[in-house]
Amino acid sequence: KTLAILPFTNATGETENEWMRNGIPEMLVHDIGQSNYVRPVPSERVLKVMRELGVAGNTRFDEATLDSIAERVPADSLLYGQFVESGGNLRVDLTVRQTGSGVPTPVNAELASSDVFAIVDTLTEGVKAQLDLSEDEIRGDVDRPVSEVATGSFEALRSYQRGLDQLNEGNNQDAARLLQAATQTDPNFAMAYAKYAEANIPRNTVIGPDGTIIFQSDGFEEADFQAMIAVIDQALAWAAARPSGS
């Protein structure tokens, strides 16, 4: 089952929380990505399709737009919604929408704002419960806490996501600064190191394990480069999800 997670709406409009618009979806991609039965679409792919459709900055989506996103990504289901921070609590209200039937199902979570990792874990459980998985599949699925898969540091996570947003906009210098800050805050944050490396690599260039350039071409297609990065990201997520010693 493939799942495309759209950017969430910052319902309060607070600039300080804008990083969560893509940050919570990104965490869900990595958390749900542990599953043996659900394959989240890489965030870069979802954002690319939304830009092509001219809806990357939208905070609301009509049925036709949702159908177009699901068809182009493609995905069996879409996940979208909003978050609100108020009184020290963070509430996330989402909808799982089945492609084809268009049937929407609500999923929500509310905890202290400082418990964002627990909120993501709760949302992951709720989302998987709405994706036609059997009780045995859900019970036996890989489901480590997202703090173990990505990072347990709120500050590192915020720097990482702000850096990732800059990277997606092509602002590599700002992205590198923020991603480096994430690795300094959490030296074990593997995904931050991967994106920091990407921010420092010129386009159309592939760097070998020893840091030397092993491929460089003016004809190297951007789509191929992004596909390569997506494979690296998936490999990192897979490695992080494996039990130690296996």
Side-chain angles (χ1 to χ4, degrees):
K1 295 176 174 62
T2 53
L3 174 70
I5 307 176
L6 279 56
F8 299 158
T9 299
N10 178 4
T12 51
E14 295 288 342
T15 304
E16 182 181 351
N17 296 328
E18 189 63 20
W19 69 273
M20 287 191 280
R21 173 172 162 77
N22 291 312
I24 298 176
E26 182 73 11
M27 283 191 287
L28 284 167
V29 165
H30 293 292
D31 201 19
I32 298 174
Q34 302 177 75
S35 174
N36 293 316
Y37 309 104
V38 184
R39 182 174 64 84
V41 178
S43 301
E44 292 88 346
R45 173 63 184 167
V46 175
L47 291 173
K48 182 176 185 294
V49 167
M50 292 178 68
R51 289 192 188 100
E52 291 172 351
L53 292 171
V55 298
N58 285 24
T59 57
R60 295 289 186 271
F61 305 95
D62 57 29
E63 294 296 310
T65 299
L66 293 171
D67 286 338
S68 294
I69 293 172
E71 180 181 353
R72 292 198 185 195
V73 166
D76 298 320
S77 301
L78 297 180
L79 181 65
Y80 58 94
Q82 66 175 26
F83 62 90
V84 177
E85 186 175 33
S86 177
N89 277 8
L90 179 65
R91 179 177 177 84
V92 185
D93 294 295
L94 305 180
T95 297
V96 177
R97 181 182 186 271
Q98 303 291 333
T99 301
S101 68
V103 174
T105 307
V107 175
N108 56 66
E110 181 174 3
L111 289 169
S113 299
S114 58
D115 290 335
V116 63
F117 300 108
I119 291 173
V120 170
D121 289 330
T122 300
L123 291 171
T124 292
E125 292 177 7
V127 169
K128 288 201 292 188
Q130 303 302 328
L131 293 178
D132 298 326
L133 301 184
S134 69
E135 290 185 6
D136 287 342
E137 287 174 332
I138 293 175
R139 188 165 44 248
D141 205 5
V142 179
D143 191 15
R144 295 165 60 199
V146 69
S147 60
E148 295 181 9
V149 176
T151 178
S153 166
F154 181 85
E155 290 302 322
L157 176 65
R158 183 165 57 181
S159 295
Y160 169 78
Q161 188 55 51
R162 286 173 171 168
L164 194 57
D165 288 343
Q166 292 296 317
L167 188 60
N168 288 332
E169 293 296 327
N171 303 323
N172 286 37
Q173 186 172 356
D174 290 337
R177 175 178 55 81
L178 289 161
L179 292 165
Q180 184 179 39
T183 64
Q184 291 171 340
T185 303
D186 180 0
N188 296 314
F189 196 173
M191 290 182 294
Y193 283 107
K195 290 299 181 181
Y196 175 62
E198 181 182 345
N200 282 286
I201 296 174
R203 293 304 188 192
N204 305 342
T205 301
V206 178
I207 305 297
D210 60 352
T212 60
I213 296 176
I214 59 175
F215 180 84
Q216 189 170 37
S217 170
D218 292 336
F220 192 46
E221 294 294 332
E222 177 72 8
D224 294 334
F225 184 89
Q226 292 300 337
M228 178 189 70
I229 294 299
V231 169
I232 292 172
D233 286 350
Q234 290 172 2
L236 284 169
W238 175 81
R242 295 190 66 190
S244 58
S246 63

